Amino acid sequence: MPELPEVEVCRQGIEPHVLKKIVDKVIVRNRQMRWPVSEDINELQGQEIVAVERRAKYLLLKTAKGTLLLHLGMSGTIRVIDEAFPLKKHDHFDLVLTTGKALRLNDPRRFGAILWLKGDVSSHPLLRALGPEPLTDNFPQGYLYEKSRNKTVPIKTFLMNNHVVVGVGNIYANESLFQAGIRPTTPAGKISRKRYDALTLIVKDVLAKAIKQGGTTLKDFTQSDGKPGYFAQELQVYGRGGEACVVCETTLKEIKQGGRATVYCPKCQAR
C-alpha cells in the first residue's frame, strides 16, 4: 500500500497539471469502489480546481463548490494523460479538464475511494480523528512522549496509529526505529522523553528524504506509469531480515507485528 511519501509525490506530480484548471467533465466507469461513487460527483463539471492538498494518504482537490477526495487504496494509480489516451483495464475514473488533459484513476482491487465532499472536509468521518501531519509544526518534540504515557502497546504499533500521527507506515516505522535505536517491541509508555524527541526528528527526516527521493525518481509525472511505488532508497532494515546490520553486522531479526513484517537489529536496538 502506498505510504505518505508516495502519496505526497503523487500530489506534487499532479498539481501543476490540475491546479487552476477547469473541469470539463467527469467520467465514472465503475461506481463500485470502496464506497459507491455518488452521482453528486457530476457537480465538479465547470468547477475550477483551486487547491491540491493531501491529508494523511488522502488527496484533496478543492473547488468553490466542494472537494474531490481520492484514495489509492492498495493498488490504485493516478496518471495525467491526454483525454483520448487508450483505456486500460481497471481505468475506473477520469477527471477531464478543459485543457484536454485528464486525471485517470486505475484501481484493479477497487479498494480506493472517489468521494465528493461538501463543506468543511476536516469534519468528515474519514479525516476528523486523524493525528497531526508529521512534517508540520503540529508534530513537535514532546508530543509523542505525552501521547504515549501509560500505553502498553509496542512502540511500532503506537507509531503507526493514524490517530497518534498520520503517515508513518510500515516501511518508515521500521527505518525510523532503527535509526533511533529503539526496539520495535518496546512498550510505548516505557520510552523516555529524550528518546522520543530524537525519534520525532528522525521520523521527519526519514519521510522528508523519501519524498525528495521520490520527486527525483519520478521527475515528470506524465511520463511515469502513475504508480507511486517505493522509491529507490537505501533501506537499512526493512526487507533485510536475516541479513547483516549495516552498522554492527549483527544478523537482523524479522518478526510479525499486527500481521506486518518488522525487522530490527538485536544489538543496535537494545531493549
Side-chain angles (χ1 to χ4, degrees):
M1 180 182 291
E3 296 189 18
L4 184 150
E6 289 75 42
V7 179
E8 174 59 21
V9 168
C10 179
R11 187 201 68 78
Q12 293 177 9
I14 67 175
E15 183 179 44
H17 305 282
V18 301
L19 184 62
K20 304 300 181 183
K21 304 299 189 295
I22 306 296
V23 177
D24 182 44
K25 55 187 172 182
V26 178
I27 301 173
V28 181
R29 300 184 186 88
N30 192 333
R31 295 189 179 274
Q32 300 308 309
M33 301 295 289
R34 186 173 181 182
W35 298 283
V37 181
S38 169
E39 292 284 353
D40 292 346
I41 203 166
N42 291 313
E43 293 182 21
L44 265 167
Q45 187 170 341
Q47 292 294 302
E48 179 186 17
I49 297 172
V50 297
V52 182
E53 300 176 359
R54 177 192 52 76
R55 181 69 172 106
K57 293 192 287 187
Y58 297 99
L59 291 170
L60 305 171
L61 277 61
K62 296 188 172 183
T63 74
K65 188 175 282 190
T67 299
L68 175 65
L69 179 149
L70 298 173
H71 192 280
L72 299 177
M74 298 183 71
S75 60
T77 61
I78 288 179
R79 292 168 291 152
V80 178
I81 43 87
D82 291 329
E83 179 187 358
F85 194 82
L87 290 173
K88 294 182 179 180
K89 189 177 182 181
H90 309 301
D91 281 346
H92 300 312
F93 173 77
D94 278 11
L95 188 70
V96 183
L97 307 170
T98 55
T99 59
K101 295 290 185 180
L103 195 67
R104 181 168 291 175
L105 174 66
N106 182 287
D107 188 358
R109 301 181 71 176
R110 289 188 284 121
F111 287 165
I114 305 167
L115 300 177
W116 176 239
L117 310 180
K118 294 291 194 70
D120 179 16
V121 295
S122 65
S123 63
H124 189 274
L126 290 173
L127 305 178
R128 66 187 175 205
L130 292 175
E133 291 284 336
L135 295 175
T136 68
D137 292 339
N138 293 325
F139 184 59
Q141 290 180 313
Y143 172 81
L144 285 177
Y145 177 77
E146 294 299 329
K147 293 289 287 186
S148 67
R149 294 308 83 195
N150 301 316
K151 295 291 191 303
T152 59
V153 298
I155 176 58
K156 180 166 174 269
T157 303
F158 175 74
L159 193 60
M160 290 178 62
N161 185 341
N162 278 328
H163 298 300
V164 174
V165 57
V166 301
V168 187
N170 193 41
I171 291 177
Y172 303 111
N174 274 275
E175 295 297 306
S176 296
L177 290 170
F178 173 73
Q179 291 187 31
I182 299 173
R183 186 165 293 196
T185 54
T186 305
K190 298 294 185 181
I191 296 171
S192 69
R193 165 71 188 261
K194 182 178 179 179
R195 298 192 84 186
Y196 265 125
D197 284 352
L199 177 61
T200 298
L201 296 178
I202 288 168
V203 166
K204 289 175 178 283
D205 184 61
V206 166
L207 292 174
K209 284 180 177 177
I211 292 169
K212 183 178 180 180
Q213 178 63 42
T216 302
T217 302
L218 292 180
K219 293 183 177 151
D220 185 348
F221 198 75
T222 61
Q223 297 303 312
S224 77
D225 63 1
K227 190 172 183 60
Y230 294 109
F231 312 129
Q233 302 169 65
E234 291 294 327
L235 298 176
Q236 294 178 300
V237 287
Y238 182 82
R240 298 189 62 243
E243 298 180 26
C245 173
V246 296
V247 175
C248 71
E249 298 188 350
T250 299
T251 300
L252 298 176
K253 186 173 181 179
E254 181 168 344
I255 60 174
K256 291 286 186 181
Q257 286 182 294
R260 308 295 297 278
T262 295
V263 182
Y264 67 93
C265 176
K267 184 176 180 179
C268 294
Q269 293 167 271
R271 290 187 182 278

